[in-house]
Amino acid sequence: MHNPWIAEVWRTGLILFAALLLGVFVGQTMLFLLIAVSALLAWHLYHLYRLERWYRNRKRFHPPQAGGIWGEVYYHIYQLQQRNRRRKRKLSRMLNRFNESTSAMPDATVVLTADNRIEWFNTAARDYLGLRPKQDVGQRIDNLIRHPRFVQYLQANDFRQPLEMPSPMGGDQVFSIRVVPYGKQRRLLLVRDITRLKRLERVRQDFVANVSHELRTPLTVIAGYLENMGDAEDACATRWGKGIAQMQDQTRRMIRIVEDLLMLSRMEADDREGHRSPVAVPAILASVVEEARAISGSDGHQIELSCDSHLWLKGEEKVLYSVFSNLVFNAVRYTPPGGHIRIRWFRDEAGAYFEVEDTGIGISPQHLPRLVERFYRVDPGRSREHGGTGLGLAIVKHGLECHAARLEIESQVGEGSRFRAVFPADLIIDHQPAEAALES
Ligand code: ADP
């Protein structure tokens, strides 16, 4: 294999040897050697100079021509340069493609630094958020979009759930905003227009609310007549007694479904935060327990309530009543006669807890994730038999969402279940009797 270094060493050796021979021949060995070494040095310096010139002025495409080791050096640098050029071209093509695709994206995308300064954004961000390409790069996004919910969302630093908010440009658009942290201290802000989705959701909600509302009056009339027919002591009542009782049962069931659907629609439709006022939870629980004992009747469940009597909540009384009663009545419905139901209302520094524990039939784990869906029942027959609508836990879920609370469910088949509602600490009211006396 041709090795330029060996050739170079040979060449240098030959030149020095020739100079040595000539020097010996003429009788000036040192002089001739010096001349040879200087010539070699000059040649190398000349090529170093050409290399430096060429490197400095790299736009000149072709490297200087040279023989020997310098030709090799030029060639390798040239190859490196060509490779870098190709890589650069590929990278900039990729970058262009990336820019084009993010610009074409219908969703607004903004790259933010750790302190929420804008680093880059696509075309949709200009239309959705009104960002200006030159002026706004480097600005803090919360200085440009000042909607309180948006500022709070950024500050809270919890991006598990998207934020829904109206367009900061005015108009009736609704946006869903997501923040995705990535790379080193960078955040991607994604904004999606969900106006159509919201409108459809609204149409669905209105439809369910209207149908339920329209059904309520006819059902009440039917229930009224059925009651009269059942109470009458004529031939018709005697003949149709069983049928009338069944019709009454089904009508009552339909009324309960309609009432539950209306309750759900009401919860979905409003911005609940505006409706909050002090709620005496202990009083609600006392009346829920009384009703639960009435429902249990001859089944003789042992219902035990332990309750912090100073623990009130900022919330909506009707909604809270629905949440608590649905959980307690479910415990009665799904616990065999004589079973034990323990209700607790207490607090710690993290929040307030409402807990219902029963020794009932329990729920197997595969049902737990879907339990709060509308009309989802583990055993539809049993649910209907106990007068269930399949909407109870959906109401509980919505009711808790209205109070920024969450539901935790633990259950074991055959052993019992524990449903726990966790309310945030900022909704707690420490209601002291002395304050009550002062108020009155
Ligand atoms: P339903 O009107 O059928 O009770 P819910 O939405 O209140 O509807 O409950 C949904 C399903 O969850 C019920 O059908 C039942 O199977 C199950 N469930 C709810 N609470 C309990 C409980 N305490 N113990 C066992 N199963 C329960």
Side-chain angles (χ1 to χ4, degrees):
M1 204 174 81
H2 170 73
N3 187 335
W5 278 106
I6 294 176
E8 190 63 28
V9 169
W10 268 108
R11 194 190 359 228
T12 311
L14 269 175
I15 289 171
L16 291 178
F17 185 67
L20 185 76
L21 272 185
L22 222 62
V24 170
F25 187 67
V26 181
Q28 290 280 355
T29 319
M30 286 314 281
L31 180 70
F32 272 78
L33 270 180
L34 197 71
I35 290 171
V37 170
S38 306
L40 278 172
L41 193 66
W43 186 71
H44 283 302
L45 276 177
Y46 169 65
H47 278 296
L48 258 182
Y49 165 76
R50 282 178 77 193
L51 175 67
E52 193 273 335
R53 281 279 307 274
W54 172 62
Y55 201 75
R56 196 154 15 119
N57 185 16
R58 259 185 303 175
K59 285 210 173 61
R60 240 181 78 187
F61 204 64
H62 291 289
Q65 293 296 318
I69 195 67
W70 283 105
E72 259 337 279
V73 171
Y74 289 142
Y75 174 74
H76 284 307
I77 295 180
Y78 179 63
Q79 288 288 313
L80 199 72
Q81 196 188 37
Q82 290 294 88
R83 245 198 331 264
N84 279 345
R85 251 187 210 142
R86 274 199 298 272
R87 216 173 279 160
K88 213 159 116 186
R89 236 178 281 140
K90 200 169 146 194
L91 271 178
S92 70
R93 265 205 307 270
M94 262 168 70
L95 202 67
N96 278 345
R97 269 207 300 272
F98 173 75
N99 272 343
E100 275 165 19
S101 57
T102 43
S103 294
M105 250 174 14
D107 297 345
T109 313
V110 184
V111 175
L112 299 175
T113 59
D115 59 346
N116 294 326
R117 290 187 188 281
I118 300 173
E119 208 167 63
W120 177 90
F121 54 84
N122 68 352
T123 323
R126 295 186 213 172
D127 306 335
Y128 282 10
L129 308 172
L131 299 182
R132 295 157 304 172
K134 292 225 167 65
Q135 298 96 310
D136 292 342
V137 171
Q139 299 281 336
R140 283 182 64 109
I141 189 129
D142 42 354
N143 283 344
L144 301 170
I145 303 171
R146 289 168 170 274
H147 194 286
R149 284 223 302 270
F150 177 73
V151 176
Q152 214 178 347
Y153 183 66
L154 274 189
Q155 275 167 3
N157 232 352
D158 176 6
F159 305 123
R160 281 171 300 176
Q161 296 296 325
L163 165 77
E164 283 180 16
M165 70 168 216
S167 161
M169 313 268 288
D172 56 0
Q173 271 174 309
V174 185
F175 292 151
S176 163
I177 296 189
R178 260 209 122 95
V179 175
V180 189
Y182 76 99
K184 276 193 187 147
Q185 309 264 305
R186 289 285 179 283
R187 289 163 161 194
L188 205 60
L189 181 95
L190 300 165
V191 185
R192 200 155 62 93
D193 185 353
I194 52 163
T195 316
R196 224 173 81 83
L197 211 72
K198 280 273 141 192
R199 217 169 276 151
L200 280 175
E201 209 174 285
R202 186 99 215 155
V203 168
R204 179 190 62 80
Q205 282 169 7
D206 288 351
F207 176 76
V208 174
N210 288 339
V211 168
S212 316
H213 194 76
E214 291 297 326
L215 283 177
R216 196 152 66 163
T217 316
L219 280 173
T220 316
V221 173
I222 293 171
Y225 277 112
L226 282 173
E227 203 176 321
N228 285 344
M229 284 161 79
D231 288 346
E233 285 168 4
D234 54 11
C236 171
T238 326
R239 191 167 165 207
W240 292 103
K242 210 170 147 210
I244 290 171
Q246 268 182 16
M247 282 193 273
Q248 276 178 328
D249 260 4
Q250 294 303 325
T251 319
R252 271 196 288 270
R253 203 166 85 79
M254 279 200 275
I255 290 175
R256 272 199 306 275
I257 292 178
V258 163
E259 296 287 337
D260 279 357
L261 281 173
L262 276 173
M263 183 76 181
L264 267 173
S265 307
R266 254 181 263 130
M267 283 182 185
E268 283 177 336
D270 292 349
D271 172 20
R272 317 303 308 183
E273 283 185 27
H275 296 249
R276 285 185 191 155
S277 55
V279 178
V281 178
I284 294 185
L285 295 185
S287 97
V288 167
V289 167
E290 207 173 298
E291 265 189 78
R293 288 203 174 109
I295 292 173
S296 167
S298 58
D299 286 349
H301 294 100
Q302 297 167 46
I303 303 175
E304 180 195 315
L305 170 67
S306 99
C307 164
D308 178 344
S309 57
H310 302 310
L311 184 52
W312 285 29
L313 273 187
K314 229 180 289 163
E316 209 183 328
E317 184 161 352
K318 260 194 181 160
V319 175
L320 286 174
Y321 189 93
S322 269
V323 169
F324 300 146
S325 58
N326 270 303
L327 289 176
V328 174
F329 299 165
N330 272 352
V332 176
R333 274 194 216 124
Y334 299 104
T335 301
H340 200 124
I341 294 160
R342 202 165 73 133
I343 303 158
R344 294 206 305 148
W345 174 234
F346 61 99
R347 65 184 282 187
D348 66 13
E349 55 291 341
Y353 304 84
F354 173 74
E355 207 175 83
V356 184
E357 209 173 339
D358 63 49
T359 54
I361 56 171
I363 306 153
S364 63
Q366 80 265 23
H367 294 295
L368 292 182
R370 299 195 56 194
L371 218 54
V372 294
E373 283 174 24
R374 283 160 203 221
F375 298 113
Y376 187 85
R377 296 155 164 131
V378 175
D379 177 351
R382 188 178 178 125
S383 159
R384 282 197 196 101
E385 197 184 300
H386 289 280
T389 59
L391 292 167
L393 289 182
I395 291 179
V396 169
K397 178 187 158 225
H398 272 281
L400 291 179
E401 272 172 12
C402 296
H403 291 84
R406 63 174 197 275
L407 180 68
E408 295 171 355
I409 309 172
E410 278 171 41
S411 189
Q412 263 191 328
V413 177
E415 305 243 317
S417 316
R418 192 179 76 184
F419 287 75
R420 178 191 256 196
V422 186
F423 293 87
D426 58 350
L427 291 191
I428 292 178
I429 299 174
D430 194 3
H431 187 81
Q432 297 301 331
E435 280 177 39
L438 275 180
E439 275 166 23
S440 59

